[in-house]
Amino acid sequence: MVQAVFEEYGFTWDDSEYFDDLYDLESHYLNIGHRFWVAELEGKVVGTVGLEFFDALPGRIGDLFLDETQTRTASSDCSLGRLYVHPAGRRRGVGRLLMEQVLVEARLQSRKCLEIWSDKRFANAHRLYGKFGAMPVGDRICDDPDSSPEWGLVIDLGTPLASPDVY
């Protein structure tokens, strides 16, 4: 399903380490306390999302933090990843339901700030994130096979949801 979305956008799909987590969800997510969900419609997987937990990064919400390998969002203590919705699941509430699940779980785990990095071409995803209070804080080049430019966004999990139109 994720590969179909990559092909739709003309992204490279190869055997690089960038995709390792998708081939082994248990060791990359489930066995180490992270979460991963799939959405199904009519017996077919039409969406995915992952949620990773970690110690809070230094800095204040809204700033960027450079760790040993890449730019991150400061103050974040969890990260949304691999949110993809197949064309068959779009405009049917799949992305919204996956986002709601991530936010509920992050709050249940007493997390304070959700980090999101999203390819700049995913305008619909950015609008979805904005509906849940995501605010853009910067950009970076992803370590994917295409070196794609990404927006960095954060959701302050301690504040009420807003609906800004930031994109």
Side-chain angles (χ1 to χ4, degrees):
M1 195 285 315
V2 176
Q3 185 174 356
V5 174
F6 266 63
E7 290 171 357
E8 171 188 6
Y9 281 87
F11 299 150
T12 300
W13 187 272
D14 62 19
D15 292 331
S16 71
E17 290 179 21
Y18 183 76
F19 301 103
D20 284 352
D21 64 313
L22 294 172
Y23 291 104
D24 187 0
L25 297 175
E26 289 167 348
S27 68
H28 287 271
Y29 294 94
L30 309 176
N31 291 347
I32 55 176
H34 302 316
R35 309 292 189 269
F36 197 91
W37 296 273
V38 297
E40 292 184 8
L41 282 175
E42 301 165 1
K44 295 183 180 179
V45 174
V46 293
T48 63
V49 69
L51 176 62
E52 296 184 9
F53 303 112
F54 43 86
D55 292 337
L57 298 173
R60 65 182 180 85
I61 293 176
D63 290 342
L64 295 177
F65 170 75
L66 181 61
D67 75 7
E68 298 170 4
T69 60
Q70 63 186 341
T71 301
R72 306 284 302 275
T73 61
S75 195
S76 297
D77 57 3
C78 58
S79 179
L80 178 145
R82 301 296 190 189
L83 178 57
Y84 296 106
V85 178
H86 190 275
R90 294 183 194 148
R91 305 254 182 244
R92 299 179 76 176
V94 172
R96 178 183 52 79
L97 290 171
L98 290 169
M99 273 300 297
E100 287 172 355
Q101 183 65 46
V102 164
L103 295 175
V104 165
E105 184 65 23
R107 288 182 171 112
L108 283 173
Q109 299 299 320
S110 300
R111 298 303 165 147
K112 305 295 183 211
C113 185
L114 177 71
E115 171 180 63
I116 304 169
W117 288 96
S118 178
D119 190 285
K120 289 184 175 184
R121 292 171 275 190
F122 291 158
N124 290 333
H126 305 151
R127 281 189 289 278
L128 173 70
Y129 301 145
K131 290 178 183 178
F132 287 95
M135 300 303 297
V137 295
D139 62 353
R140 72 178 184 189
I141 299 299
C142 182
D143 63 352
D144 68 8
D146 298 309
S147 299
S148 302
E150 298 179 306
W151 290 118
L153 306 100
V154 294
I155 297 178
D156 182 343
L157 297 170
T159 61
L161 297 179
S163 295
D165 186 13
V166 295
Y167 295 97

